[in-house]
Amino acid sequence: MEFNFLEPIDIEIQSFLEQLSSQQLGSKVVFHNSEDLPDLSKIRVAIVGVLESRQDGTVTNLKNIRKDLYSLYPGNWETSIADLGNILPGHSQKDTYFAVQTVASALIKRKIIPVIIGGSQDLTYALYRAYDDLEQMVNLVAIDSKFDFGKESDTISATSYLTKIILDEPNNLFNFCNIGYQTYYNSQEEIDLVEKLFFDGYRLGDVCSNISIAEPVFRDADVVSLDLTSIKTSDSGNFSNFIPNGFSGKEICALARYAGLSDKVSLFGIFNHNDNFQESKLITQIIWYFIEGFHYRSNEYPFGSRDNYLKYIIPLDDQELVFYKSHKTERWWIEIPFLSTANTKLKKNTLLPCSHEEYLAACNHEIPERWWKAQRKNII
């Protein structure tokens, strides 16, 4: 019943798929066509289109994206991918949210990662609500040039959805991180609010100069929401909304691969598509890199035996910082000591992903900022 909101892929796409060679991706994906849904028992990644466009006024056409994506060649993957078709606009915007939430939640419960394409970024709210029945806190990462705060009285939109996520009950948001914000697009009040809420923000220039600083952030994320306006126009082709500065095509694909590599990411959304030919091409490569990253997941989360990790203890003046380094991938984690067990939903956050550089900084008595913020949330 939860998949009744899905419309099969277009006849035009079905005809296009018949022309592909057996080596191309489209020949290795199962589709929701005019018949029933495909068998989902072995599916790990599901592509779902959303044709909702009332917020940004554009006509969302996903045909070009599908044609470009399925014309690509897969990597050395065990391809267990399904295209489940599209969610059509509901009678109201809330109806669309409900459909997106229902479909995403059903897929996550089956341990299938939904890749949501189309619509404006306010659909991130529906994706966040998909975790309501899972009894877990949610870490949200947005790749965006703006924080998307709005006034409490504002109608939810692509530029105000984060306020609704923060204020609405049940409040299951543990952490929010913005990757790629540009200061001149955000008021000082918004930047201060991010600090006050102990959220994280990484400026565009900092990420572009060292893109690997984003990897630990994705390793701790549940939902990744990509705003395509975070990509500069010269690479996206979005000339109707000119963006002089932003991520390059290469950088955004690297971030998508980090998201795919994360053992924890269970939902990936791509929003604010401008419906131009160049951007469609880029979206297909973003999806390709996410799927490739997924194929190379190391399955280090959740932690089992810590025998597979080397433990480092750094004594400070009034406490100890405990780091773990994986024998398998050489990635780092830092332990967060819990002062209270009142909120049992937070028990999964006892180990926070970090970088080798943060370990070296701790050796010089510099406490990692993300560790401090996570501990402050626990105290409060």
Side-chain angles (χ1 to χ4, degrees):
M1 290 291 292
E2 61 266 28
F3 297 122
N4 288 346
F5 300 105
L6 293 167
E7 188 81 2
I9 61 170
D10 192 271
I11 296 295
E12 181 182 338
I13 300 299
Q14 295 183 43
S15 300
F16 173 81
L17 294 170
E18 295 173 357
Q19 304 171 22
L20 299 177
S21 76
S22 60
Q23 298 300 312
Q24 290 172 291
L25 185 60
S27 299
K28 302 177 183 297
V29 175
V30 295
F31 293 88
H32 178 200
N33 49 35
S34 55
E35 301 174 1
D36 293 334
L37 280 168
D39 180 11
L40 299 179
S41 60
K42 296 182 180 179
I43 297 300
R44 303 297 307 281
V45 177
I47 295 170
V48 178
V50 183
L51 303 185
E52 175 64 67
S53 60
R54 275 171 283 198
Q55 274 296 331
D56 51 18
T58 61
V59 178
T60 303
N61 181 358
L62 304 180
K63 292 180 184 178
N64 290 334
I65 295 175
R66 283 187 162 99
K67 288 180 179 179
D68 290 337
L69 176 62
Y70 299 132
S71 296
L72 300 178
Y73 292 88
N76 185 23
W77 306 333
E78 297 175 4
T79 49
S80 53
I81 307 166
D83 186 332
L84 300 184
N86 298 319
I87 295 175
L88 299 178
H91 180 71
S92 68
Q93 192 176 331
K94 288 184 178 180
D95 292 334
T96 305
Y97 290 161
F98 178 77
V100 172
Q101 174 183 339
T102 302
V103 171
S105 180
L107 290 171
I108 294 169
K109 288 176 181 177
R110 292 172 180 246
K111 300 191 182 303
I112 299 172
I113 298 179
V115 176
I116 308 295
I117 315 167
S120 50
Q121 201 180 14
D122 52 285
L123 289 173
T124 304
Y125 175 77
L127 302 186
Y128 162 72
R129 291 268 75 104
Y131 292 82
D132 284 353
D133 297 332
L134 301 180
E135 296 186 355
Q136 70 171 75
M137 300 300 285
V138 178
N139 289 343
L140 168 64
V141 172
I143 305 172
D144 201 338
S145 61
K146 302 176 182 179
F147 289 122
D148 295 330
F149 288 116
K151 296 179 181 178
E152 187 175 350
S153 59
D154 288 348
T155 302
I156 184 171
S157 70
T159 58
S160 66
Y161 71 90
L162 187 56
T163 298
K164 190 168 181 62
I165 287 178
I166 293 170
L167 296 178
D168 275 14
E169 297 288 344
N171 192 329
N172 297 322
L173 183 67
F174 181 72
N175 191 47
F176 168 76
C177 179
N178 175 288
I179 295 178
Y181 79 91
Q182 299 178 43
T183 306
Y184 37 73
Y185 288 146
N186 300 275
S187 69
Q188 189 59 49
E189 183 181 9
E190 291 174 310
I191 296 172
D192 292 342
L193 182 59
V194 169
E195 289 296 317
K196 182 179 179 180
L197 296 173
F198 306 112
F199 290 160
D200 301 308
Y202 292 80
R203 292 181 65 175
L204 175 68
D206 293 333
V207 180
C208 290
S209 63
N210 180 17
I211 202 163
S212 64
I213 66 173
E215 186 276 329
V217 176
F218 287 111
R219 214 184 323 152
D220 198 40
D222 299 290
V223 182
V224 176
S225 173
L226 167 57
D227 184 342
L228 291 166
T229 63
S230 65
I231 305 167
K232 57 187 177 182
T233 290
S234 58
D235 283 31
S236 71
N238 182 359
F239 285 96
S240 64
N241 181 19
F242 187 74
I243 305 155
N245 291 304
F247 289 114
S248 68
K250 179 180 179 181
E251 290 161 347
I252 205 70
C253 286
L255 294 176
R257 193 173 190 275
Y258 281 148
L261 279 168
S262 168
D263 294 321
K264 197 167 182 281
V265 168
S266 53
L267 216 165
F268 185 53
I270 304 173
F271 304 111
N272 295 342
H273 173 35
N274 187 247
D275 211 15
N276 70 77
F277 176 77
Q278 185 172 330
E279 193 170 75
S280 294
K281 293 279 188 183
L282 181 55
I283 291 171
T284 65
Q285 295 186 15
I286 291 170
I287 297 171
W288 191 96
Y289 274 102
F290 177 83
I291 296 173
E292 184 188 56
F294 172 80
H295 176 76
Y296 289 108
R297 289 189 173 189
S298 57
N299 298 316
E300 290 184 318
Y301 181 93
F303 282 80
S305 171
R306 299 194 182 183
D307 294 340
N308 297 323
Y309 304 87
L310 190 59
K311 184 177 181 179
Y312 295 80
I313 301 176
I314 300 176
L316 299 178
D317 293 337
D318 56 350
Q319 61 185 321
E320 293 180 338
L321 293 184
V322 180
F323 288 83
Y324 290 90
K325 179 184 178 183
S326 167
H327 294 313
K328 184 177 182 180
T329 63
E330 298 189 350
R331 296 189 297 186
W332 290 79
W333 284 262
I334 185 171
E335 190 171 75
I336 303 174
F338 274 79
L339 305 180
S340 169
T341 58
N343 192 339
T344 57
K345 292 181 181 180
L346 299 183
K347 289 183 177 179
K348 293 183 179 179
N349 293 281
T350 52
L351 288 175
L352 183 70
C354 66
S355 64
H356 182 225
E357 288 75 15
E358 287 174 305
Y359 163 73
L360 295 177
C363 291
N364 291 321
H365 291 243
E366 297 177 19
I367 297 178
E369 184 176 358
R370 291 182 66 238
W371 178 92
W372 178 82
K373 288 181 178 180
Q375 177 128 340
R376 288 289 296 167
K377 289 174 191 173
N378 175 48
I379 295 172
I380 295 174

